[in-house]
């Protein structure tokens, strides 16, 4: 498992009865997590000091209950800063387990820039959400194209970039349907040295385009393979869908990228360490990675 254990401003404090107890900076949140099927006593004192609690509804969805939580606050990861705020369906605007992938992609970019300082490294971030990977890659020295179907998420990504000192960085923000954007980029002849994609299980594009990951992700991977430059550096795909296990991600990357460009493919679960879990790591989905040989 790839474990995001480099955080100082975030930690999973405890897990029990379908919920996780988290510290986001100085604020304590309780949020549901379907992986937590065990029941353990609430020993951590923070259970009684929570600032926000997301309650699931038996009818679907749910709602927040707040105890002195601000509308917005910031946390940092290494040299990156992110603005957080609780919004619909339990989210805060950041998936902290992805820090392990930010480190991986950022390390590849920095390594290449050290070898070839003048090389422009172009990265495409699809389903880019609030831009965690975007700011990590830009901070490492890449030019990033950030694509998401939600105007609100793209605006939030710009705020995260500014908070990380990247307001003037070479980041192109686009509100667009990811599949249609990739098709247009192929026709334009544009190429990228790194591609990151974090597709949802289900979603809709800005014009109502339907996305269902089981039906749509492999055709998109095939298209994205055409966007990689001849000396591309990496490809990352994330999945929170139970049916897309690491082996499935690995097989898709082998078929669409490694078979054409060589290199190495690896896939694994990603997770977060639990402070009070006696070695427990909370699984948070899976990632598949391709990188050029020698990186």
């Amino acid at each position: 498992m790839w474990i995001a254990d480099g955080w100082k401003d975030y930690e999973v404090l405890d897990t029990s009865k379908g919920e996780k107890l988290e510290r986001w900076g100085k604020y304590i949140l309780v949020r549901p997590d379907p992986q937590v099927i065990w029941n353990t006593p609430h020993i951590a004192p923070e259970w009684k000091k929570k600032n926000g609690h997301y309650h699931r509804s038996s009818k679907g969805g749910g709602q927040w209950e707040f105890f002195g939580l601000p509308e917005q606050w910031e946390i940092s990861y290494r040299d990156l800063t992110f603005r957080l705020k609780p919004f619909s369906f339990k989210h805060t605007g950041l998936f902290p387990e992805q820090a392990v992938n930010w480190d991986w992609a950022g390390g590849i970019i920095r390594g290449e820039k050290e070898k070839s300082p003048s090389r422009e490294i172009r990265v495409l971030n699809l389903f880019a959400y609030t831009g965690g990977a975007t700011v990590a890659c830009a901070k490492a020295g890449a030019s990033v194209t950030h694509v998401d179907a939600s105007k609100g998420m793209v605006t939030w990504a710009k705020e995260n970039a500014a908070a990380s000192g990247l307001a003037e960085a070479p980041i192109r923000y686009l509100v667009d349907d990811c599949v249609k954007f990739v098709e247009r980029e192929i026709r334009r002849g544009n190429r990228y040295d790194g591609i990151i994609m974090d597709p949802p299980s289900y979603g809709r594009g800005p014009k109502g385009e339907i996305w269902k990951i089981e039906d749509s992700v492999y055709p998109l991977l095939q298209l994205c393979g055409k966007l990689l430059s001849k000396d591309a550096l990496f490809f990352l795909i994330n999945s929170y869908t139970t049916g897309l296990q690491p082996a499935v991600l690995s097989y898709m990357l082998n078929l669409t990228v490694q078979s054409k460009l060589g290199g190495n493919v690896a896939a694994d679960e990603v997770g977060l360490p639990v402070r009070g879990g006696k070695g427990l790591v909370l699984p948070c989905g899976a990632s598949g990675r391709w990188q050029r040989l020698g990186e």
Side-chain angles (χ1 to χ4, degrees), residues 274-290:
V274 180
R275 187 191 70 179
K278 298 180 179 179
L280 171 71
V281 176
L282 183 65
C284 303
S287 295
R289 300 169 174 173
W290 170 85

Side-chain angles (χ1 to χ4, degrees), residues 12-245:
V12 180
L13 303 171
D14 199 3
T15 56
S16 179
K17 299 180 180 179
E19 294 183 318
K20 55 189 174 186
L21 177 72
E22 307 165 290
R23 179 180 64 83
W24 297 80
K26 63 180 181 180
Y27 299 106
I28 306 300
L29 301 183
V30 178
R31 298 191 298 157
D33 192 308
Q35 299 286 346
V36 183
I37 62 174
W38 49 87
N39 295 341
T40 54
H42 287 191
I43 297 175
E46 289 87 351
W47 285 106
K48 297 179 181 179
K49 301 175 182 178
K50 59 192 175 185
N51 300 105
H53 192 168
Y54 188 88
H55 300 279
R56 273 264 173 84
S57 169
S58 59
K59 299 179 181 179
Q63 63 181 5
W64 282 98
E65 182 182 16
F66 298 124
F67 310 91
L69 186 71
E71 291 184 4
Q72 180 174 293
W73 72 103
E74 293 184 351
I75 65 171
S76 295
Y77 179 75
R78 305 196 192 283
D79 54 354
L80 308 175
T81 299
F82 300 101
R83 292 179 177 173
L84 307 177
K85 49 191 171 185
F87 71 109
S88 60
F89 195 63
K90 78 180 181 179
H91 296 307
T92 63
L94 195 67
F95 292 98
E97 68 276 2
Q98 286 301 316
V100 71
N101 286 323
W102 305 338
D103 289 344
W104 174 76
I108 292 174
I109 293 166
R110 288 186 177 93
E112 184 64 21
K113 294 293 281 188
E114 288 176 4
K115 291 189 298 182
S116 306
S118 62
R119 178 181 177 182
E120 181 189 16
I121 298 173
R122 303 182 67 207
V123 173
L124 173 62
N125 189 9
L126 298 170
F127 309 98
Y129 195 51
T130 60
T134 293
V135 297
C137 291
K139 198 71 153 181
S143 300
V144 184
T145 298
H146 175 110
V147 186
D148 196 277
S150 168
K151 183 178 180 180
M153 294 301 104
V154 172
T155 299
W156 197 336
K158 292 178 182 178
E159 295 173 357
N160 282 332
S164 295
L166 297 167
E168 303 301 321
I171 303 173
R172 183 167 61 133
Y173 300 95
L174 297 167
V175 179
D176 205 344
D177 175 76
C178 289
V179 176
K180 291 183 177 179
F181 173 79
V182 168
E183 291 172 340
R184 289 197 301 272
E185 287 291 88
I186 292 171
R187 292 195 296 268
R188 293 170 183 141
N190 289 330
R191 297 294 179 266
Y192 294 89
D193 305 301
I195 295 178
I196 297 168
M197 54 190 297
D198 201 347
S201 298
Y202 180 85
R204 290 184 180 273
K207 295 183 180 179
E209 301 91 341
I210 295 176
W211 166 275
K212 187 177 180 182
I213 194 167
E214 293 89 347
D215 299 331
S216 305
V217 70
Y218 184 68
L220 179 57
L221 273 171
Q222 290 178 304
L223 290 173
C224 286
K226 299 177 182 179
L227 284 181
L228 288 170
S229 64
K230 59 180 177 58
D231 53 353
L233 299 172
F234 67 89
F235 197 119
L236 170 68
I237 177 172
N238 296 307
S239 170
Y240 298 92
T241 302
T242 306
L244 297 186
Q245 299 296 327

